Amino acid sequence: MKDSSPDRVFIFDTTLRDGEQSPGFHLDSNAKVRIARQLEKLGVDVIEAGFPISSPGDFEACRRIAREIRGATVTALARAVKEDIDAVWGAIKEAEKPQIHIVLSVSDVHINRKLGMSREAVLKRGAEMVAYARSLCENVQYSPEDAGRADPDYLVETVETMIAAGANVINIPDTTGYCLPYEFGELVRRVINEARGSEKALFSVHCHNDLGLAVANTLAALSAGARRVECTINGIGERAGNTSLEEVVMLLRVRQAKLGLECGVNTTEITRTSRLVSELTGTPVQPNKAVVGANAFAHASGIHQDGVLKDRLNYEIMKPEDVGLADSRIVLTARSGRHAFHHRLNRLGVTLTEGKDDEAWQRFLQLADTKKEVTDEDLRKIAAMSETNGHEGNGHPPVTDQLHDHNHVADTLRHLIFG
Ligand code: KIV
Ligand code: ZN
């Protein structure tokens, strides 16, 4: 799909800026450059490298990324003050496609309680700083912070003022993750329809996940006409995090027929990118996280395992290969069924002699009730014991003699298997 197509969604990755703002997630310049290289392979359209005024280390990281990355736009964040804008420009001006990103609040909560300014003064400051940034760089993005809680009329006035001052990307942030999807979609639609000059700008959104709605709000904004999405790998970011890149990208892909939208991300790099970010931030991904969690392609219950083994389509809406995983996983637990049990034995090359099947299955269930997952090693031992009437060929007594006492058998099995 061409970049100029109205159905093309541009992916703006802010893992290295908003993502790195997560408490305890500090990334040094080497780590940031490694992640930026991987984001380049992933095929994102924009990399937000950092907040250069915040520290010399972050300035340097942004500068290295700007020098090295080709293809993607490289941007960095500035508050609406000259010093910040100069720091951003100093750090990113050598990028192939540089962009200055300016943030200034738009909600009355922020204007009164954080900035202590009037609405008029905020508009004036924003417009002056956008014009200043445009004197340095062709691409300027303006983010009216806390737009999700702002007066929509004032938001529209702000957007048209910033477009007139030279902003060519307008990013609408739900900074506090407060909006409901239909509200946020309505807000974005209204701004695009009502702000004069909106046809000259690309509309982007930036959603936080405080109520678990970041991806839903992003989707609502796309339906309302936004065509750029700010997101992070593994959904990391301030507080509860940002829109998760992997979720929004796979949503566009899996539901392409319904949504009619596409992006340029190479989805087979998703798992590799997720693991790199997790490793370098020292923060594991929650196991049930959509798309990249360890359980996202794992099947544990007998009903699901039987269905997946008959046809993956029964329980998988996307292929593990599409996100760069070798395969889905069948996890053997006390909730597993015989289909999965036999499937795994077959894969291990273990064939039970006739009449031993029930015995092995009972041993499996007894062991499974005592632990979270039955491993391949456990299975081999269960099969060996069933073939030798409870002996492992090591002189231990047969466990089948004690089948009347469930707990005792479980303990014995555990002892035989784990010593
Ligand atoms: O949450 C927010 O509003 C931001 C802006 C800088 C876009 O991170
Ligand atoms: Zn944010």
Side-chain angles (χ1 to χ4, degrees):
M1 181 176 279
K2 283 203 178 119
D3 279 7
S4 55
S5 161
D7 302 329
R8 170 77 154 88
V9 174
F10 296 91
I11 301 295
F12 176 120
D13 181 277
T14 182
T15 306
L16 299 177
R17 201 276 300 166
D18 208 319
E20 203 241 3
Q21 283 173 216
S22 315
F25 275 48
H26 175 69
L27 294 166
D28 64 19
S29 140
N30 289 336
K32 278 194 157 193
V33 171
R34 277 181 71 189
I35 292 174
R37 286 182 189 140
Q38 181 56 33
L39 290 172
E40 191 177 27
K41 280 197 198 133
L42 183 65
V44 304
D45 300 291
V46 186
I47 296 175
E48 186 163 47
F51 184 29
I53 195 81
S54 65
S55 75
D58 211 41
F59 180 93
E60 194 45 33
C62 293
R63 191 154 65 170
R64 285 178 63 190
I65 291 168
R67 282 178 176 161
E68 193 176 315
I69 296 300
R70 289 294 167 262
T73 295
V74 176
T75 191
L77 186 65
R79 290 164 298 183
V81 289
K82 275 193 170 175
E83 294 72 16
D84 282 33
I85 294 170
D86 288 339
V88 168
W89 186 236
I92 63 151
K93 65 181 173 211
E94 290 175 62
E96 187 182 36
K97 298 183 208 160
Q99 181 205 259
I100 298 176
H101 180 189
I102 298 173
V103 62
L104 182 59
S105 297
V106 72
S107 68
D108 288 329
V109 179
H110 278 210
I111 291 176
N112 299 330
R113 297 169 190 233
K114 189 174 91 163
L115 303 178
M117 291 168 76
S118 66
R119 284 185 175 188
E120 295 67 33
V122 169
L123 274 185
K124 186 165 175 291
R125 162 91 69 84
E128 279 169 11
M129 290 305 112
V130 167
Y132 178 61
R134 267 308 294 266
S135 72
L136 303 171
C137 180
E138 259 180 43
N139 295 312
V140 174
Q141 167 170 326
Y142 188 84
S143 290
E145 193 188 10
D146 202 19
R149 291 190 298 168
D151 168 1
D153 289 333
Y154 179 61
L155 176 62
V156 168
E157 189 185 355
T158 300
V159 168
E160 57 191 30
T161 304
M162 300 315 151
I163 292 173
N168 33 29
V169 181
I170 297 293
N171 177 48
I172 309 290
D174 180 22
T175 304
T176 54
Y178 176 74
C179 290
L180 301 173
Y182 67 85
E183 273 176 342
F184 193 60
E186 202 35 56
L187 184 69
V188 171
R189 183 172 287 112
R190 185 162 167 193
V191 172
I192 295 176
N193 288 341
E194 292 183 14
R196 271 167 300 167
S198 68
E199 69 289 346
K200 288 189 247 159
L202 173 64
F203 280 84
S204 172
V205 288
H206 174 108
C207 298
H208 277 271
N209 207 30
D210 299 69
L211 293 172
L213 290 173
V215 173
N217 284 341
T218 299
L219 180 61
L222 288 174
S223 303
R227 284 294 175 269
R228 188 145 111 181
V229 168
E230 297 204 358
C231 45
T232 60
I233 302 296
N234 300 336
I236 63 175
E238 282 278 4
R239 306 181 309 280
N242 290 74
T243 298
S244 145
L245 180 146
E246 56 278 5
E247 291 176 26
V248 90
V249 164
M250 290 314 290
L251 178 59
L252 295 180
R253 180 172 173 144
V254 172
R255 300 308 309 273
Q256 206 274 332
K258 179 84 183 168
L259 298 170
L261 300 172
E262 274 177 48
C263 68
V265 165
N266 172 8
T267 62
T268 62
E269 289 293 331
I270 283 179
T271 300
R272 206 188 318 278
T273 316
S274 163
R275 288 180 182 167
L276 182 69
V277 169
S278 171
E279 179 198 323
L280 294 178
T281 57
T283 309
V285 174
Q286 74 189 63
N288 61 327
K289 166 82 177 61
V291 184
V292 293
N295 293 348
F297 293 91
H299 306 279
S301 79
I303 295 171
H304 286 220
Q305 290 173 339
D306 179 56
V308 166
L309 290 171
K310 284 176 177 150
D311 188 329
R312 296 192 334 186
L313 266 184
N314 281 318
Y315 288 103
E316 287 182 2
I317 58 164
M318 50 193 150
K319 295 190 194 127
E321 308 89 271
D322 289 347
V323 301
L325 269 180
D327 209 349
S328 43
R329 271 192 325 130
I330 296 285
V331 184
L332 292 181
T333 72
R335 304 291 156 259
S336 295
R338 274 174 104 133
H339 192 164
F341 172 68
H342 286 127
H343 170 80
R344 184 66 70 79
L345 284 174
N346 278 343
R347 277 181 53 165
L348 292 174
V350 175
T351 321
L352 294 164
T353 51
E354 227 175 290
K356 296 293 178 190
D357 195 72
D358 279 344
E359 195 179 322
W361 174 242
Q362 291 309 321
R363 284 183 206 282
F364 168 82
L365 288 180
Q366 284 159 0
L367 179 67
D369 262 339
T370 70
K371 60 191 308 227
K372 287 185 184 152
E373 183 175 342
V374 177
T375 65
D376 289 351
E377 191 53 23
D378 296 338
L379 278 188
R380 283 198 187 90
K381 288 182 177 170
I382 286 170
M385 287 165 70
S386 303
E387 292 296 335
T388 56
N389 278 340
H391 286 286
E392 251 196 295
N394 58 6
H396 286 296
V399 287
T400 39
D401 292 353
Q402 297 134 12
L403 270 173
H404 60 280
D405 180 342
H406 172 88
N407 287 335
H408 184 60
V409 171
D411 282 351
T412 309
L413 271 168
R414 215 187 338 219
H415 173 72
L416 285 172
I417 290 175
F418 301 110

